[in-house]
Amino acid sequence: MTSALLHPFSKPSSNNYHTLVRSEGVRVWDDKGNEYIDGLGSLWYCQVGHNRPELIQAITSQLQTLSSYHTFAPMGSNISDAAAERIRSISPFADGRVFLCNSGSESVDSAIKLIRKTAILRGEPERQIILRRGRGYHGVNVGGTTLQGIPANREGWGDLLPSVLEIDPTNIESAASIFKEHGNKIAGVITEAVQGAGGVFPPPDGFLEGLRKLCDDNGALLVFDEVITGFGRTGNWFAADTYNITPDLITFAKGVTSGYQPMGGVLISREICDLLEADPQFVFMHGYTYSGHPAACAAAIANIDLIESEELVQRANHVGVRISQGLEALRDDGLLSEVRGVGAIWAGQVTAATTEQGIQIRDKMTEMGVICRAINGALAFCPPLIIEDSDTDLLIDTAAKAINEIMSV
Ligand SMILES: Cc1ncc(COP(=O)(O)O)c(C=O)c1O
C-alpha cells in the first residue's frame, strides 16, 4: 500500500521517501537516524536555519495571545498591521502597501489579478495580455501554472488562462517584438529577477533594464516574482535592490518566514495603491481566509528581526563567494561546465550530465548526507544563510565525489 500522503511533484505510484523527523541549524535527520546538511534551505526558503528558538517563541506567544483571526473588512489585528509595516520597511516601496496570503502560488495569482485590475482602473480594460518568460517558475495555482515557462509544469492540465504570451528567457529582442505587435494590449510582464526552479539563471546584462523600459514605454506593469530571491538571498533584502530596478509589484513568500509558518504576499507600489484608493466606493474583492494569519505574521516579524540582527543579508554574499569558489574549482577540474548564481543561490551544470544523471548525482549526495536539488543536469544550492564555511565546503566536496562516482560509471 502506498502512504496516505500524495506528495507534491511526485510519482503517485512511488513509496520511496526520506522521512524526516528532526531539524536543527543547517541539519535535518530522518527516521533511520541519518543526518543531512540542508544545502537547499528546505525548498529555497530557510534563511535563518531550522529550529531557531527566537521564531518558535514568537509564534508560540502569538498563539497564546491572539491565536487566529481573519483580516477581511472590517476586521484586522495588531500583529497583521505590524507584519505588513515590517515587510514594507525593508522593501523598495517605502510608501506602498502589502497584501498578505499563504504561499508563493497565491502571491502570483494575486499579482495577476492586480495587473488586470490596474489596467481596468486606468480605463484600459482591453489590456489583458500578460507576458511570461521562458524557463520561469511561478507556482502551481491556475494563474501561475499559465505563467510557467517550464512546459512540463504547464502542460497536461487542460485549458489555462487566455491572453498569456511568452518571451525568450535571455533575448530582450523577443520581448521587444511582442511589445511592438501587442503593446497597447499588454497589461504586464512577470519574471523572476533570478530564475530559480528553472535552474538558477541570473538575468543577462541589461535584460531587466530592457523589460523595465519596454513596460514604461508601453504602459505595462513589471512584476518581479521574488518568492525565492526576497529576504536576503541575493545579498540585498530584494533582488530589485541587487539589480537596481524598481518593478511595480513584487511577489514574495518562502524567506519571509524562513518557512516557520506559511506566508506569501504582494508588495504594491504607491502608484498602484493610489489607483486602488482613488474611489472610496471601490472594493478590492480578493483575499484569503488566512491572509495576515497571526502566527504567520509573528513568524515574519521575528524572522526579519533575526535576519537583521545576525546580518544575514550581508552574509549571503560571504556564503555565495564560498559556494561559487568551490563550484569554480570543480569547473577547473572539468566536473562542471558552467557555474551560475548570485548572492547565496548557485548552481553547477555537471559536464555532459543528462537530467537522469543529475538525479542520480543528487541521490548519491543524499546518501552521503547532503541535500541539494537536481535541475536538468545541474546541481542547485541555496543553503540557510547561517551555514558555516566547513559545511559549505562539505556541500562542494560531496558534490565532487558524487559527480565522479556517477559520471565515471
Ligand atoms: C519564483 C517562484 N514563484 C512562486 C513559487 C510558488 O511558491 P509556493 O510553492 O509557495 O506556492 C515558487 C516556488 O518555488 C517560486 O520559486
Side-chain angles (χ1 to χ4, degrees), residues 44 103-106 108 137-140 192 197 225 227-228 253-254:
W44 322 90
S103 68
S105 298
E106 287 183 359
V108 167
Y137 184 93
H138 299 289
V140 296
E192 299 152 276
D225 184 349
V227 164
I228 290 181
K254 296 191 189 269

Side-chain angles (χ1 to χ4, degrees), residues 133-154:
R133 184 169 161 208
R135 220 166 44 196
Y137 184 93
H138 299 289
V140 296
N141 286 353
V142 171
T145 299
T146 314
L147 297 182
Q148 290 265 354
I150 301 171
N153 293 341
R154 189 179 65 236

